[in-house]
Amino acid sequence: MYSLYFKKFLLWKACGLCLTERICHSCFRRQDKLQRCGQCKFAHYCDRTCQRAGWAEHKQECSAIKAYGSVPNENIRLVARIMWRVDKDGSLLSDTQLTTLEELEDHIADMQEDELKEFKVDIHNFLDYWPRTSKQHTIDDISHVFGVINCNGFTVSDQRGLQAVGVGLFPNLCLVNHDCWPNCTVILNHGNQSAVNTLFHSQRRIELRSLGKIAEGEELTVSYVDYMNLSEERQRLLKTQYFFDCTCEHCKNRIKDDIKLGGKVEDGVKPSEEQVKEATDYCFQMLEKMDQARLKGDYHEVVKICRDAIEKTEPILADTHIYLLRMWSTMSEVQAYLQYFDEAAEYARKMVDGYMKLYHSNNAALGMAAMRAGVTHWQAGQIEVGHGMICKAYAILMVTHGPTHPITKDLEAMRMQTEMELRMFKQNEYVYHSMREAALKNKPMTMMHEPKSMEEGIKNLFHRRK
């Protein structure tokens, strides 16, 4: 196992407009109460320490937003930050940088007509936003940066990696090619920027981490899209977003596509293709209704839709069927949020069992799902299963995230706590349950927010145009 660390990235942009008041623009922690920048009224910080740490990158943006009179969209802000950084430091930020901004592909010539219209609107708004006091650039240069972001942007997560909050550009990372079954994964480690004494700050860095042994001379690859998608859908996404045709083994041979939309085999008997198709279509329709209810925050309606769909399709669809897995995942997440932990734990276990048959054994999404399932089982009082799930998640995230990542440190603390509780459970169940009830009242192991935002950060690491 090894990791490559890219400690300097060309630019990274703070959270999107919808999250700006809940995510610190310096350390990217999610907080309920943040201090707002007194000048632009846009950027938010944990405290003075975070504000000072982020000032170097925010200084010019702050003046520009104030002068512009409003906050432009994410792409415009990101391009502006890149241009300011390049004007100050040049295209090569360090000796370890392997390529320049100018050398990266922008694929503007490959864009569709509707994309080009949006593209031109962004450029027009950028020219209004860009300060007259800053260095002026040609339309071609500005267009190139917009194009590079469009097909090379990397999703930036919050401090614990649970939610996508922005987009960054990492030149060296752009050189790593795609494979649907990769030998590496990419993780953003925000480091520690919250210490009062900056001497104890650790650098933010992007990490390219191996998922197993890699032979000498073998190409390093990562996945730009979620493997849970069917081969045809992955190819469509890659062509639309990254402008290439995927010819990896899993796409050419449509590996696991059959079980991703397969029927349930029981005692050697499986349903007909017509039954599977009917159940699949019904599940798809219910997923659309579920998404609408979730966006409205009507979680009891989400549960009703999911329960009806599961009861009708579970006897027909395989436990690896991607629509059924999504139903189980949503039910687990929402029921845990509503504190129906026993039912949430049941669906979490089914979800993880299905994921294990589809994902690579060291896939980050599998690790995060196992962590969620472990916490849910703990909340349901099922300490043995909960501890086992947390240990499994810890083993995976030690590979995908490494020992210094905040989420791995959280998991280590959970693992130690559940191990202690498991010993106590085996010695005296009554004492254990009494202490667990007391602990639940203090809400330990809280790691999730409202269900509508959970899956963004763990499944789509690379930026996808919306």
Side-chain angles (χ1 to χ4, degrees), residues 113-314:
E113 186 176 347
D114 57 337
E115 293 176 312
L116 281 172
K117 286 181 180 179
E118 294 179 15
F119 193 76
K120 291 176 181 178
V121 170
D122 275 349
I123 292 173
H124 174 79
N125 290 335
F126 173 86
L127 293 172
D128 288 340
Y129 172 69
W130 185 252
R132 300 291 177 262
T133 53
S134 294
K135 180 182 176 181
Q136 300 302 300
H137 297 272
T138 66
I139 296 294
D140 286 344
D141 288 342
I142 296 168
S143 299
H144 176 69
V145 180
F146 271 103
V148 168
I149 291 170
N150 187 55
C151 56
N152 289 283
F154 179 88
T155 295
V156 175
S157 63
D158 63 6
Q159 214 253 359
R160 277 177 165 69
L162 293 174
Q163 183 174 33
V165 296
V167 184
L169 189 62
F170 306 84
N172 283 355
L173 187 59
C174 298
L175 301 177
V176 183
N177 284 327
H178 163 83
D179 194 292
C180 290
W181 197 261
N183 54 23
C184 293
T185 189
V186 180
I187 294 297
L188 179 63
N189 191 333
H190 287 288
N192 175 21
Q193 301 290 312
S194 61
V196 174
N197 189 335
T198 55
L199 178 68
F200 298 105
H201 286 183
S202 58
Q203 286 186 309
R204 304 181 185 96
R205 64 192 185 194
I206 199 82
E207 299 180 1
L208 180 65
R209 303 186 61 84
S210 66
L211 297 177
K213 292 182 179 180
I214 299 176
E216 183 176 350
E218 183 181 351
E219 182 183 14
L220 304 181
T221 58
V222 295
S223 181
Y224 296 178
V225 295
D226 184 16
Y227 182 71
M228 194 63 70
N229 292 310
L230 296 172
S231 301
E232 184 178 357
E233 176 64 7
R234 294 198 307 271
Q235 289 178 314
R236 186 191 68 79
L237 291 170
L238 291 166
K239 186 68 173 180
T240 302
Q241 176 67 41
Y242 303 102
F243 306 100
F244 71 86
D245 295 308
C246 183
T247 57
C248 76
E249 181 185 358
H250 279 251
C251 280
K252 284 191 299 183
N253 298 325
R254 301 188 179 278
I255 296 175
K256 297 192 179 182
D257 277 8
D258 55 340
I259 63 173
K260 288 179 182 177
L261 287 182
K264 183 176 184 178
V265 180
E266 198 164 15
D267 297 327
V269 179
K270 61 180 180 180
S272 66
E273 291 185 8
E274 185 179 344
Q275 287 177 305
V276 173
K277 184 181 184 306
E278 183 181 340
T280 299
D281 292 343
Y282 176 77
C283 219
F284 181 76
Q285 293 169 9
M286 293 302 102
L287 283 170
E288 290 185 328
K289 290 184 178 181
M290 179 199 75
D291 286 338
Q292 293 172 5
R294 188 161 62 167
L295 286 171
K296 296 175 182 176
D298 188 351
Y299 299 125
H300 291 286
E301 180 64 17
V302 171
V303 169
K304 182 180 181 301
I305 293 169
C306 284
R307 182 172 283 121
D308 290 345
I310 289 170
E311 287 178 359
K312 185 171 182 177
T313 61
E314 198 173 52

Side-chain angles (χ1 to χ4, degrees), residues 13 32 87 126 136 234 271 345 457 463:
K13 176 187 63 57
D32 291 331
D87 290 346
F126 173 86
Q136 300 302 300
R234 294 198 307 271
H463 175 51

